[in-house]
Amino acid sequence: METNLTLKSGTILGTLLSIASNIFSEDIVKTIILAVVGAIVSFLVSLLLKRLTKNKK
């Protein structure tokens, strides 16, 4: 059975557009802010743990 390329591409594009319309810009901004805060906290905790283990040696 042959599949129509137009049908496949239309289905994929329609699916992607329906998903994209459900993602709100404020959710993206919130995700970026949380990722930055998480990276900073992780970095600071690793520095703190490095200093604590360095002083015990």
Side-chain angles (χ1 to χ4, degrees):
M1 179 188 226
E2 285 187 34
T3 56
N4 191 353
L5 184 61
T6 307
L7 179 63
K8 279 186 176 181
S9 62
T11 303
I12 292 171
L13 185 62
T15 303
L16 291 176
L17 286 175
S18 67
I19 291 171
S21 68
N22 289 327
I23 298 175
F24 300 109
S25 61
E26 57 192 38
D27 289 338
I28 295 171
V29 172
K30 187 190 312 181
T31 302
I32 292 171
I33 291 171
L34 287 174
V36 169
V37 169
I40 291 171
V41 169
S42 175
F43 178 73
L44 293 175
V45 168
S46 66
L47 284 179
L48 177 67
L49 289 174
K50 188 184 284 189
R51 284 188 182 179
L52 288 175
T53 57
K54 187 178 179 182
N55 291 336
K56 288 185 178 183
K57 288 183 179 181

